[in-house]
Amino acid sequence: MSDPVITAAAHQVLTALTSDKVPVVKTFFDRVTFTATHVVHDPATRAAAIIDSVMEYDPAAGRTGHHLAQEIVDYVRAHDLKLEWLLETHVHADHLSAAPWIQEQLGGKLAIGADIVRVQDIFGKLFNAGTRFARDGSQFDHLFHDGETFMLGSIPAIALHVPGHTPADMAYVIGDAAFIGDTLFMPDYGTARADFPGGDARALYRSIRRLLSLPARTRLFLCHDYKAPGRDTFAWETTVGAEREHNVHVHDGVGEDEFVAMRTGRDATLSMPGLLMPSVQVNMRGGHLPEAEENGTRYIKIPIDRV
Ligand SMILES: [Fe+2]
């Protein structure tokens, strides 16, 4: 379990970076899975990172597509950015990652949180993935630990472990921008679910309070948006201050027990995402499809009566 507050070292990084180190963020929104992919770059050096990319997948046909990923590749090339990182906030259960495909075009290092090994263990067993599926995170180029700092060009950044939605969720704070994955959603929508295997509403609350201890003007970039009653447009950017004041699930004053009761009750009413099975099988492999069988074809499995 992570320390519930931002460490002193992290605060130093964050204080240093919020003044003049302002990264540029461009978001690509997938209206099929409601996922926001963010391309963040340092305007001084053009160093860039892509966070949570999406590969299209038609489950009825078993067909993949890269239209959105191609748009992102085109954007990176058009702006002459140097891709250094492909960052995943977690093993997504609602869309397939396009990170390996983008990496083939643009290079960069593929990274996720170090606790991916726990998720690989859970899903490796569920999908009976066999001994050829390594459960050591080796499908990724780098595994981030809580509090680990790095640079995006001239902009300081830090990785924070924010478990709850899954055991391995990470947030990446780059300059004044935090990419927080499935923790908080827009203030009018609330928070991510915590009922997937390894999920934990209590841990989610603590992770969220940790994120909300960042400076109030920190920009927050979300992984998803589903609109909210009364809102007609998709949105994926807010601030720590706005979440603390207005988040319908977890604004300042909502206690841990109150949140856990709300979150658990709400999760019991939610159905599983349509792309859960393909997403998890692909994303636990760093976005690579399962290995081909003897006939040269790759398959997605569906475990029966298990989830
Ligand atoms: Fe997720």
Side-chain angles (χ1 to χ4, degrees):
M1 174 66 65
S2 301
D3 193 299
V5 294
I6 302 291
T7 63
H11 257 307
Q12 269 180 358
V13 172
L14 293 164
T15 309
L17 54 79
T18 45
S19 52
D20 57 346
K21 300 295 187 185
V22 178
V24 176
V25 181
K26 165 78 176 170
T27 300
F28 295 80
F29 193 76
D30 175 31
R31 287 168 177 261
V32 176
T33 65
F34 307 104
T35 303
T37 298
H38 307 291
V39 183
V40 51
H41 80 264
D42 170 19
T45 64
R46 314 210 72 70
I50 296 174
I51 296 149
D52 291 334
S53 60
V54 175
M55 175 169 75
E56 292 99 15
Y57 182 70
D58 174 351
R63 211 160 253 297
T64 59
H66 301 96
H67 294 99
L68 203 59
Q70 184 66 58
E71 267 185 56
I72 292 167
V73 168
D74 292 346
Y75 169 84
V76 169
R77 288 191 174 134
H79 292 80
D80 198 24
L81 306 183
K82 181 172 166 291
L83 188 64
E84 296 194 345
W85 291 103
L86 294 129
L87 302 173
E88 296 288 318
T89 55
H90 63 291
V91 170
H92 304 278
D94 55 10
H95 70 270
L96 284 66
S97 170
W101 187 86
I102 294 174
Q103 190 179 34
E104 275 177 32
Q105 327 290 316
L106 299 174
K109 281 185 286 191
L110 175 58
I112 200 165
D115 279 15
I116 177 73
V117 296
R118 291 177 57 194
V119 176
Q120 288 178 323
D121 188 49
I122 293 168
F123 289 121
K125 284 181 184 138
L126 178 64
F127 291 106
N128 196 25
T131 52
R132 292 178 74 182
F133 171 53
R135 294 153 204 213
D136 57 2
S138 57
Q139 300 84 351
F140 297 83
D141 301 307
H142 185 76
L143 300 181
F144 276 108
H145 290 269
D146 185 45
E148 186 176 339
T149 57
F150 61 106
M151 298 292 290
L152 185 69
S154 64
I155 301 181
I158 186 164
L160 301 174
H161 183 214
V162 287
H165 174 64
T166 77
D169 278 57
M170 299 300 286
Y172 303 100
V173 186
I174 302 173
D176 73 328
F179 302 88
I180 59 175
D182 283 4
T183 52
L184 291 157
F185 292 144
M186 289 300 284
D188 59 5
Y189 194 86
T191 55
R193 64 196 296 174
D195 61 333
F196 292 151
D200 181 338
R202 208 162 280 283
L204 180 61
Y205 178 86
R206 292 173 188 172
S207 294
I208 286 172
R209 293 316 306 179
R210 193 176 186 219
L211 290 170
L212 294 181
S213 78
L214 292 166
R217 67 195 182 95
T218 307
R219 291 182 288 164
L220 299 181
F221 290 90
L222 315 179
C223 189
H224 295 292
D225 185 58
Y226 307 94
K227 298 182 182 170
R231 175 156 60 82
D232 290 334
T233 53
F234 290 110
W236 45 76
E237 180 181 348
T238 181
T239 63
V240 165
E243 294 281 19
R244 289 184 65 160
E245 203 167 335
H246 301 299
N247 188 287
V248 292
H249 292 170
V250 70
H251 58 79
D252 281 357
V254 175
E256 184 171 317
D257 289 342
E258 186 185 346
F259 174 80
V260 169
M262 178 285 303
R263 189 66 266 172
T264 311
R266 184 170 155 81
D267 286 348
T269 70
L270 301 177
S271 51
M272 285 292 130
L275 292 181
L276 173 76
M277 297 300 175
S279 299
V280 170
Q281 280 170 87
V282 169
N283 296 337
M284 73 180 187
R285 294 176 163 89
H288 292 281
L289 295 166
E291 278 192 39
E293 297 194 4
E294 311 81 68
N295 62 357
T297 303
R298 302 172 191 275
Y299 292 87
I300 296 287
K301 288 183 182 177
I302 299 180
I304 305 298
D305 294 334
R306 284 293 310 276
V307 175

PDB file of all heavy atoms in Angstrom, residues 90 92-93 165 182 224, ligand 1:
ATOM      1  N   HIS A  90      -2.639   1.663 -16.480  1.00  0.00           N
ATOM      2  CA  HIS A  90      -2.974   0.354 -15.897  1.00  0.00           C
ATOM      3  C   HIS A  90      -3.348  -0.622 -17.010  1.00  0.00           C
ATOM      4  O   HIS A  90      -3.378  -0.248 -18.181  1.00  0.00           O
ATOM      5  CB  HIS A  90      -4.105   0.481 -14.880  1.00  0.00           C
ATOM      6  CG  HIS A  90      -5.421   0.967 -15.445  1.00  0.00           C
ATOM      7  ND1 HIS A  90      -5.617   2.246 -15.904  1.00  0.00           N
ATOM      8  CD2 HIS A  90      -6.613   0.345 -15.607  1.00  0.00           C
ATOM      9  CE1 HIS A  90      -6.861   2.388 -16.318  1.00  0.00           C
ATOM     10  NE2 HIS A  90      -7.490   1.253 -16.166  1.00  0.00           N
ATOM     11  N   HIS A  92      -5.935  -1.929 -18.844  1.00  0.00           N
ATOM     12  CA  HIS A  92      -7.313  -1.498 -19.085  1.00  0.00           C
ATOM     13  C   HIS A  92      -8.210  -2.692 -19.368  1.00  0.00           C
ATOM     14  O   HIS A  92      -7.794  -3.651 -20.010  1.00  0.00           O
ATOM     15  CB  HIS A  92      -7.363  -0.558 -20.287  1.00  0.00           C
ATOM     16  CG  HIS A  92      -6.464   0.617 -20.152  1.00  0.00           C
ATOM     17  ND1 HIS A  92      -6.808   1.746 -19.453  1.00  0.00           N
ATOM     18  CD2 HIS A  92      -5.212   0.840 -20.606  1.00  0.00           C
ATOM     19  CE1 HIS A  92      -5.812   2.615 -19.494  1.00  0.00           C
ATOM     20  NE2 HIS A  92      -4.822   2.087 -20.178  1.00  0.00           N
ATOM     21  N   ALA A  93      -9.467  -2.568 -18.916  1.00  0.00           N
ATOM     22  CA  ALA A  93     -10.427  -3.653 -19.131  1.00  0.00           C
ATOM     23  C   ALA A  93     -11.491  -3.271 -20.143  1.00  0.00           C
ATOM     24  O   ALA A  93     -12.422  -4.032 -20.370  1.00  0.00           O
ATOM     25  CB  ALA A  93     -11.085  -4.019 -17.801  1.00  0.00           C
ATOM     26  N   HIS A 165      -8.698   0.902  -8.449  1.00  0.00           N
ATOM     27  CA  HIS A 165      -9.402   0.407  -9.647  1.00  0.00           C
ATOM     28  C   HIS A 165      -8.801  -0.944 -10.039  1.00  0.00           C
ATOM     29  O   HIS A 165      -9.523  -1.903 -10.318  1.00  0.00           O
ATOM     30  CB  HIS A 165      -9.240   1.440 -10.759  1.00  0.00           C
ATOM     31  CG  HIS A 165      -9.771   1.043 -12.084  1.00  0.00           C
ATOM     32  ND1 HIS A 165     -11.102   0.808 -12.318  1.00  0.00           N
ATOM     33  CD2 HIS A 165      -9.139   0.830 -13.271  1.00  0.00           C
ATOM     34  CE1 HIS A 165     -11.269   0.468 -13.595  1.00  0.00           C
ATOM     35  NE2 HIS A 165     -10.095   0.471 -14.197  1.00  0.00           N
ATOM     36  N   ASP A 182      -7.606   5.673 -14.197  1.00  0.00           N
ATOM     37  CA  ASP A 182      -8.958   5.423 -13.681  1.00  0.00           C
ATOM     38  C   ASP A 182      -8.975   5.590 -12.170  1.00  0.00           C
ATOM     39  O   ASP A 182      -8.909   4.613 -11.410  1.00  0.00           O
ATOM     40  CB  ASP A 182      -9.416   4.014 -14.071  1.00  0.00           C
ATOM     41  CG  ASP A 182      -9.843   3.957 -15.526  1.00  0.00           C
ATOM     42  OD1 ASP A 182      -9.710   4.978 -16.225  1.00  0.00           O
ATOM     43  OD2 ASP A 182     -10.311   2.897 -15.961  1.00  0.00           O
ATOM     44  N   HIS A 224     -11.052   8.530 -18.970  1.00  0.00           N
ATOM     45  CA  HIS A 224     -12.367   8.303 -19.586  1.00  0.00           C
ATOM     46  C   HIS A 224     -13.314   9.453 -19.310  1.00  0.00           C
ATOM     47  O   HIS A 224     -13.152  10.167 -18.316  1.00  0.00           O
ATOM     48  CB  HIS A 224     -13.030   7.041 -19.002  1.00  0.00           C
ATOM     49  CG  HIS A 224     -12.309   5.781 -19.301  1.00  0.00           C
ATOM     50  ND1 HIS A 224     -12.213   5.254 -20.566  1.00  0.00           N
ATOM     51  CD2 HIS A 224     -11.643   4.931 -18.501  1.00  0.00           C
ATOM     52  CE1 HIS A 224     -11.524   4.132 -20.528  1.00  0.00           C
ATOM     53  NE2 HIS A 224     -11.154   3.916 -19.290  1.00  0.00           N
TER      54      HIS A 224
HETATM   55 FE    FE B   1      -9.613   1.011 -16.456  1.00  0.00          FE
END
